Every structure is written in C-alpha cells, then in structure tokens.
Amino acid sequence: MFRIMCYLLVAAACIGQLSAEPASNEFWELINSEKNIVILMRNADLDRTDGNPLHWDDSGRCINETLLSERGKEYAKKLGQLFQKNAVVPIVISSPMFRCKETASLVFGEAYITDPVLREIASAGAVRHEAFLDKSA
C-alpha cells in the first residue's frame, strides 16, 4: 500500500507540473520498471458553469453532466504526450462519467474500459452535497 501511495504522490506532482517542468526521467523509469503498478488519476479541470458533478447520464449523451473545461482538455493532452514520450502504455479503467471518459481518451486514446463502480455518487444528504459542491468549485 505504501508503494502505491508513493506513486500516487509522484503522479500528482507530475500532473501538477504540466505547465512547468515535467516529472524527472527517474519517475518515468520507475513506472516502466515496476510490474503491476497502480497510478490513479482524477479527471482534468472542469467547466463549472454548467452541469451537475454528481449527475450521470446513463444514455451516454452526457446530458446535465459536468464537462471538461478547455484548460482541462489541454492538460489532458499534455499528460498524454508525456505518457507517450516515455513509452508508458497502461491498462486504463475509467469511471463511466463523461468527464472521466474524455480525460482517459485525451490522455490514453480509446484503449480504455469503464467500470460503473468508479462512478461518482451522492453518498450524503443535502448539507454534505452542498459542501462537496463548495469544495469542488
């Protein structure tokens, strides 16, 4: 578990530095050398002017879902370029929510699967839901 958390922290640092220096070669060598490594990634930056972050349109038309912002799309593309440049080709499992599938697609291409268990759900009452919305803004 500790090893996975270290990789998560390093991956988060890599994503956070896309506009500055990319992660070191040591980071990418580590990812390429480890078997069964788990890297978790959150969806890219959201357009918070429309949609509901807890809504999932199971029709696949993304109606009322929160979508990626233009900035989020650009970051996802940059991250994809880093993975490609460093020859990292992972197995990708995404939430079925559109913003997550779009992030996965922009970063890794169409080679991903979805798992409904990863879908964001409202697991709290109205007060916690409002706190979630405030925190995500």
Side-chain angles (χ1 to χ4, degrees):
M1 182 65 168
F2 177 72
R3 180 188 284 182
I4 292 172
M5 289 307 294
C6 287
Y7 295 139
L8 291 177
L9 293 173
V10 174
C14 169
I15 293 166
Q17 294 180 359
L18 285 177
S19 60
E21 285 293 313
S24 71
N25 287 338
E26 186 177 328
F27 169 75
W28 295 105
E29 288 169 8
L30 181 64
I31 288 176
N32 277 321
S33 68
E34 289 288 327
K35 293 184 182 195
N36 301 318
I37 188 170
V38 175
I39 300 174
L40 299 178
M41 189 173 87
R42 185 173 164 80
N43 57 263
D45 189 62
L46 301 176
D47 176 359
R48 300 193 189 281
T49 61
D50 198 20
N52 179 340
L54 296 176
H55 182 78
W56 176 45
D57 178 16
D58 60 357
S59 75
R61 293 178 292 169
C62 314
I63 298 170
N64 295 325
E65 286 194 44
T66 303
L67 306 176
L68 296 182
S69 67
E70 289 306 313
R71 178 180 173 209
K73 291 175 187 178
E74 288 303 313
Y75 272 30
K77 289 175 188 175
K78 287 180 184 179
L79 185 58
Q81 291 168 354
L82 287 172
F83 273 85
Q84 187 173 24
K85 174 184 170 190
N86 290 284
V88 176
V89 183
I91 296 170
V92 179
I93 305 170
S94 172
S95 161
M97 297 184 86
F98 185 77
R99 64 182 177 263
C100 301
K101 293 189 312 184
E102 185 175 26
T103 300
S105 176
L106 290 169
V107 176
F108 302 108
E110 298 302 318
Y112 67 89
I113 59 173
T114 60
D115 185 336
V117 173
L118 299 175
R119 184 174 63 85
E120 191 160 357
I121 58 170
S123 59
V127 172
R128 287 191 56 205
H129 179 249
E130 285 300 317
F132 167 79
L133 292 177
D134 290 344
K135 186 175 181 181
S136 66

